[in-house]
Amino acid sequence: QKEVEQNSGPLSVPEGAIASLNCTYSDRVSQSFFWYRQYSGKSPELIMSIYSNGDKEDGRFTAQLNKASQYVSLLIRDSQPSDSATYLCAVNGNDYKLSFGAGTTVTVRA
Amino acid sequence: GAGVSQSPSNKVTEKGKDVELRCDPISGHTALYWYRQSLGQGLEFLIYFQGNSAPDKSGLPSDRFSAERTGGSVSTLTIQRTQQEDSAVYLCASSPLEGAFFGQGTRLTVV
């Protein structure tokens, strides 16, 4: 079982719609969770971090965490063509080592 | 502010040559990672340094790969006797403890 798994893509959504990305993790003691955005040919960029159960909103992005179910999600509201990228879920384990999912590629159709 | 700096940005080398890739992390960050990313693929973990602890080398693909971190700061990834399958973007990331911030990467091409 992989440490961090993301829903398989690619995900195509129309402009203005909500893009929903899901991630599950295996290490029950994980405490810190992150979402990265990676544009083609660029390095991953940290866009969201979440540490407590519930929702965390930042602009059009909302991260959701459920530790009991060991999943974390990212919602992108009012999706824009500029949101087209690969989104990586990352989780800090009990040794603080960061583990990444394989990523989900999102395409926003104009 | 200064981010993670990697050098060189691009490196073309002949098969069989050794290469060194450098990473200057964000000042004060205790952890440092090296990843490899082939075209269209995900991040492949190579090595993890955390403070003064022994590095986690579990991701190094062969004994041709090695890395060191001097003085808890700058890190060098060395690939000996490069092969064409080593061609990829090598990414360094540093972390204050949780999360991580990436450099721009070194694109390595082995010809």
Side-chain angles (χ1 to χ4, degrees), chain A residues 73-84:
Chain A
S73 63
L74 180 70
L75 300 178
I76 307 173
R77 294 185 303 281
D78 187 24
S79 295
Q80 301 297 308
S82 60
D83 296 326
S84 296

Side-chain angles (χ1 to χ4, degrees), chain A residues 8-107:
Chain A
S8 59
L11 179 64
S12 180
V13 298
E15 185 173 358
I18 296 175
S20 177
L21 306 172
N22 296 320
C23 171
T24 58
Y25 58 95
S26 61
D27 188 349
R28 186 169 288 279
V29 302
S30 296
Q31 295 295 323
S32 308
F33 308 87
F34 308 90
W35 283 98
Y36 287 78
R37 177 177 62 200
Q38 185 175 26
Y39 292 117
S40 181
K42 300 295 185 181
S43 299
E45 172 193 12
L46 179 62
I47 58 171
M48 289 287 285
S49 58
I50 187 166
Y51 304 95
S52 304
N53 281 330
D55 295 359
K56 179 181 179 182
E57 187 174 315
D58 184 357
R60 296 185 294 106
F61 296 93
T62 299
Q64 300 173 318
L65 175 61
N66 184 322
K67 291 183 180 180
S69 299
Q70 294 178 241
Y71 87 77
V72 57
S73 63
L74 180 70
L75 300 178
I76 307 173
R77 294 185 303 281
D78 187 24
S79 295
Q80 301 297 308
S82 60
D83 296 326
S84 296
T86 296
Y87 291 81
L88 301 164
C89 174
V91 177
N92 269 125
N94 61 348
D95 59 351
Y96 296 105
K97 178 182 171 183
L98 197 62
S99 296
F100 282 87
T104 300
T105 299
V106 174
T107 300

